[in-house]
Amino acid sequence: MIPSDLTHLSVPGTAALLPDASACVVAVTHPDLECDQYAGRLWWVPLDPDGGQPRALTRGFRDSAPTVSPDGRWIAFLRSPRRGVAQVHLLEVGGGEPFAVTDAPLGAGAPRFSPDGTRIAYLARVPEEGRYVKDGDPAAEPPRLITSAKYRADGLGFVRDRRQHVFVVDVPTSVPPTSAAVPAARALTAGDIEIGDVRWMPSGEHLVALAAVHAGRETDLRQDAVLVDAGAGAGEAGDLPAPRPLTGAVPGSTFDVAAAVPAADGRGLWLLASDLGPDGRDFVAQLTGLYLMDLPGDLALGAGQVGQPRRLTDPETVDLAPGVLVPAGDGVLTARLKRGAQHLVWFAPDGSSTTLVDGPVVVSGVAAAAERVVVSAARPDSAGDLLLVAPEVGTGAHRWLTDLSAPLRATGRVQRPRELNAVSADGYPVHGWVVVPEESRHGAGPHPTILMIHGGPFAQYTHALFDEVQVLAEAGYAVVLGNPRGSAGYGRAHGTAIHGAFGTVDELDVLALLDAALQDPALDADRVGVMGGSYGGYLTAWLTTRTHRFAAAIVERGFLDPVSFVGSSDIGWFFGLDYVGDHGDEVGAAAVAAQSPMAHVGVVRTPTLVIHSEQDWRCPVEQGQRWFVELQRRGVEAELLLFPGEGHELTRSGRPKHREARFTHVLDWWFRHLPVQR
């Protein structure tokens, strides 16, 4: 890839199947460098071989999050204009023009049809009076009185003054609607609570949502599955009943629920959750597990007793993707993280499982209907495509429905990674990949080599096409990347190995991967650089305090000073305290300093480019600014690249032109410090 190839990164969302599973609707989004935004349409994708080719279904600027009504008549989706917020729109499956059914002031979230198809539930943020006024002056708003550490989030901003709640709107009975006005929406929740993903119960009388409504919600990380009244008259008048905790109904609950989906018969609730222990903050490398809990026959608010959730997956070895949970038959479909992959797995109520899609794939979305399953998944040479898993699931029968990355591959600028296995200095096995430049353009080497380190730390590099690696390889660099201890996808013990020990075995592991890769004569062991973002920025900076072997480094959005991070990051009130320790006493301060790059910055001699976003509230910009200043005042070559208006997710979802500019600066830095034959 070259930087402008970002426009070829077409990515599918989760598909929506027609009830008869003859076709699906999917949103496909890509960075648009010309308008400097993300553009996307809905596509109609037939599932039968003789059903024709995929075709564009809508012409909006950015259409996303489609869902199909139970009777197959309507497609509800989000439409975002070039400037403005997303609103729910309706489109008849048979054709016609979409029309809006919401006008939420801060935009609406993904729509959900009720079981009878007469209503649509969605989430929307409700601003306090006088705040977030369109065309208003934010600087003239009254001050915010902060009383809790949970008051802001990276990529969103302040949250206490615009809580997210559930709304429901009636589906019009005529097309086009008899009135040009958007139908009136009814709020189902209110107050100082934050409502997450909502799903209808089969009866249509209730919704299951995610929310923290327990007494300790201001000091822990837990959220529960809750029940929201959506029956006749709900939200029409008077005070709204508070959501009823389901998983939190049992005293002393320790569950943090990431997803909750009702079973088809309404008598059970599938959960993706982790156990955060008695204090609700034991989050380090907790594996997301699959749970099933029984529900009573009478779900009227306040009536009936729920069962205790039963964990169906092993808490030490099986980690599931929090965003994939879809009922299928009497079981459920989800995605398992495993050695850089996310595999599609079907679980039965007794915990037995069948892997339906494996290999070097990263499953990100699933839809199921009429014994058919459509998967959104990325591969080493694709940023994402749709895969049909046929009725004969379990036999390996499947068919790719799209080839969205064909234009990118047609450039000839995509290199396939080669898996790499190494042994760390203490004998521990380490897994990763190496990517080498195309020999016909860059020769046989030896090529300058860059060690790349992922964020998290409890995350994983995957088999999916990775734009950052591809851009470096096309420029003539070999890239080494992998999943050291602390990463996800290799079990809980692997993830917890750096708990209170940042910069120890993780350092050993990334250097072991690098040294193993450098045994290949195509890689130049004398010309090596290192780069990483977030936790990867931490470990990059840490390595420059430990060795001078690197010709240069790029420290991006780094976690660089655990002490100041506590007071400046949106997650500072728990993340560093639980991962590296509490600096509040002499012993703790010494332990934190032993893991802190900032405490050892005086020994750094490696030329360093610091990249940070001005609106990064996850790893605040002060972390990068201070690293840059400390290097400069000690005479170390250092540059600071600041991106206005961006948050922590710049490299993944920042403005397309900023992403392109970042690549240009990264390549310029490496060309200066690790020249390649051009």
Side-chain angles (χ1 to χ4, degrees):
M1 286 181 62
I2 58 176
S4 61
D5 284 338
L6 282 168
T7 58
H8 293 311
L9 293 179
S10 294
V11 179
T14 298
L17 278 165
L18 270 63
D20 64 0
S22 61
C24 69
V25 180
V26 66
V28 179
T29 306
H30 71 277
D32 188 324
L33 287 168
E34 183 176 347
C35 66
D36 198 21
Q37 295 188 55
Y38 292 84
R41 294 181 175 182
L42 301 188
W43 285 74
W44 180 272
V45 182
L47 301 191
D48 297 316
D50 58 355
Q53 295 299 310
R55 59 181 173 84
L57 188 63
T58 62
R59 301 186 298 273
F61 178 71
R62 184 167 66 252
D63 297 335
S64 62
T67 185
V68 179
S69 62
D71 62 1
R73 179 186 179 187
W74 297 103
I75 300 168
F77 64 98
L78 295 179
R79 170 160 286 183
S80 303
R82 284 178 181 263
R83 291 178 177 82
V85 296
Q87 302 292 352
V88 178
H89 282 61
L90 278 178
L91 170 68
E92 280 199 297
V93 169
E97 287 297 320
F99 55 91
V101 293
T102 67
D103 60 355
L106 299 183
R112 306 281 188 192
F113 278 105
S114 62
D116 63 4
T118 63
R119 293 167 292 166
I120 296 173
Y122 63 95
L123 297 172
R125 294 198 170 274
V126 181
E128 286 183 354
E129 185 70 27
R131 294 197 190 275
Y132 308 103
V133 177
K134 185 178 180 181
D135 299 325
D137 181 3
E141 293 179 3
R144 293 176 174 88
L145 178 63
I146 308 300
T147 60
S148 167
K150 294 183 176 182
Y151 68 95
R152 57 180 179 150
D154 181 73
L156 176 61
F158 296 103
V159 294
R160 302 302 286 251
D161 54 12
R162 46 175 165 175
R163 286 302 204 181
Q164 184 165 266
H165 288 289
V166 189
F167 293 81
V168 67
V169 65
D170 292 333
V171 175
T173 56
S174 62
V175 179
T178 55
S179 170
V182 172
R186 301 186 301 279
L188 300 184
T189 60
D192 188 25
I193 56 174
E194 184 88 359
I195 304 294
D197 188 32
V198 294
R199 307 282 177 150
W200 288 92
M201 292 297 297
S203 68
E205 294 295 308
H206 303 94
L207 290 154
V208 173
L210 304 180
V213 295
H214 59 288
R217 62 184 179 274
E218 299 294 354
T219 57
D220 66 24
L221 303 174
R222 289 188 54 249
Q223 68 174 356
D224 284 307
V226 300
L227 200 65
V228 176
D229 184 12
E236 291 184 352
D239 294 334
L240 297 172
R244 172 191 171 194
L246 294 174
T247 52
V250 178
S253 175
T254 59
F255 295 111
D256 175 39
V257 182
V261 178
D265 61 4
R267 300 300 300 271
L269 190 64
W270 294 102
L271 304 167
L272 291 177
S274 55
D275 189 333
L276 299 187
D279 66 357
R281 282 183 25 176
D282 184 12
F283 73 95
V284 175
Q286 288 289 354
L287 306 192
T288 299
L290 177 65
Y291 292 79
L292 180 60
M293 67 181 295
D294 297 327
L295 296 176
D298 181 8
L299 271 178
L301 287 180
Q305 293 297 314
V306 298
Q308 179 73 13
R310 306 187 305 277
R311 187 162 191 152
L312 304 181
T313 54
D314 184 77
E316 299 296 322
T317 60
V318 178
D319 195 12
L320 304 177
V324 181
L325 186 65
V326 176
D330 65 345
V332 70
L333 294 161
T334 186
R336 180 181 179 182
L337 283 68
K338 189 174 183 179
R339 291 178 61 83
Q342 286 186 189
H343 294 155
L344 180 66
V345 183
W346 180 83
F347 282 94
D350 64 1
S352 59
S353 65
T354 303
T355 299
L356 305 182
V357 179
D358 57 10
V361 298
V362 180
V363 171
S364 59
V366 180
E371 296 188 326
R372 277 180 159 172
V373 176
V374 173
V375 175
S376 303
R379 295 172 283 171
D381 60 355
S382 169
D385 279 297
L386 295 188
L387 174 69
L388 173 65
V389 180
E392 48 272 24
V393 292
T395 67
H398 57 262
R399 176 167 54 90
W400 290 100
L401 300 169
T402 62
D403 190 5
L404 300 174
S405 291
L408 177 60
R409 289 198 306 277
T411 66
R413 296 190 285 263
V414 174
Q415 304 302 315
R416 291 185 69 93
R418 182 176 75 242
E419 286 199 63
L420 177 67
N421 290 286
V423 178
S424 197
D426 60 357
Y428 191 86
V430 192
H431 174 236
W433 297 264
V434 60
V435 180
V436 179
E438 172 62 42
E439 185 172 344
S440 64
R441 293 195 299 278
H442 296 283
H447 305 287
T449 300
I450 297 171
L451 172 65
M452 185 175 286
I453 307 172
H454 70 65
F458 196 59
Q460 62 170 355
Y461 277 138
T462 72
H463 295 281
L465 187 148
F466 189 16
D467 59 339
E468 299 201 45
V469 170
Q470 295 296 332
V471 167
L472 289 171
E474 177 60 25
Y477 296 96
V479 185
V480 180
L481 66 162
N483 294 320
R485 275 170 280 188
S487 304
Y490 302 78
R492 177 161 163 74
H494 187 90
T496 58
I498 61 170
H499 190 190
F502 269 35
T504 58
V505 294
D506 46 353
E507 173 192 333
L508 298 180
D509 290 358
V510 295
L511 293 179
L513 274 175
L514 175 62
D515 289 337
L518 292 174
Q519 298 303 306
D520 185 340
L523 279 65
D524 192 337
D526 295 323
R527 293 189 296 155
V528 181
V530 59
M531 67 182 296
S534 196
Y535 160 78
Y538 162 88
L539 196 51
T540 296
W542 177 258
L543 287 171
T544 64
T545 73
R546 303 278 291 172
T547 177
H548 303 314
R549 70 180 291 185
F550 296 106
I554 298 179
V555 172
E556 189 161 12
R557 60 186 186 276
F559 169 64
L560 304 173
D561 184 354
V563 176
S564 64
F565 189 85
V566 171
S568 59
S569 168
D570 63 340
I571 61 171
W573 62 277
F574 68 88
F575 179 85
L577 296 173
D578 287 79
Y579 247 124
V580 303
D582 192 336
H583 56 273
D585 57 46
E586 185 175 345
V587 174
V592 170
Q595 303 168 73
S596 169
M598 196 67 72
H600 303 276
V601 67
V603 302
V604 178
R605 297 294 179 267
T606 307
T608 301
L609 171 63
V610 180
I611 303 177
H612 228 105
S613 296
E614 292 181 357
Q615 301 301 316
D616 190 336
W617 284 6
R618 182 60 38 86
C619 290
V621 67
E622 59 89 11
Q623 300 269 305
Q625 290 169 324
R626 290 175 57 217
W627 191 253
F628 163 71
V629 169
E630 291 297 334
L631 294 181
Q632 277 223 334
R633 75 187 191 91
R634 288 169 170 81
V636 179
E637 181 187 353
E639 296 178 5
L640 175 63
L641 180 64
L642 285 177
F643 284 89
E646 299 288 358
H648 197 63
E649 298 300 307
L650 164 66
T651 61
R652 294 174 281 267
S653 58
R655 296 175 72 102
K657 286 185 178 179
H658 278 167
R659 291 176 65 182
E660 182 185 40
R662 174 188 168 274
F663 276 141
T664 300
H665 282 277
V666 165
L667 292 178
D668 176 70
W669 178 260
W670 290 127
F671 288 152
R672 283 188 277 146
H673 293 87
L674 287 173
V676 297
Q677 297 294 329
R678 291 192 285 168

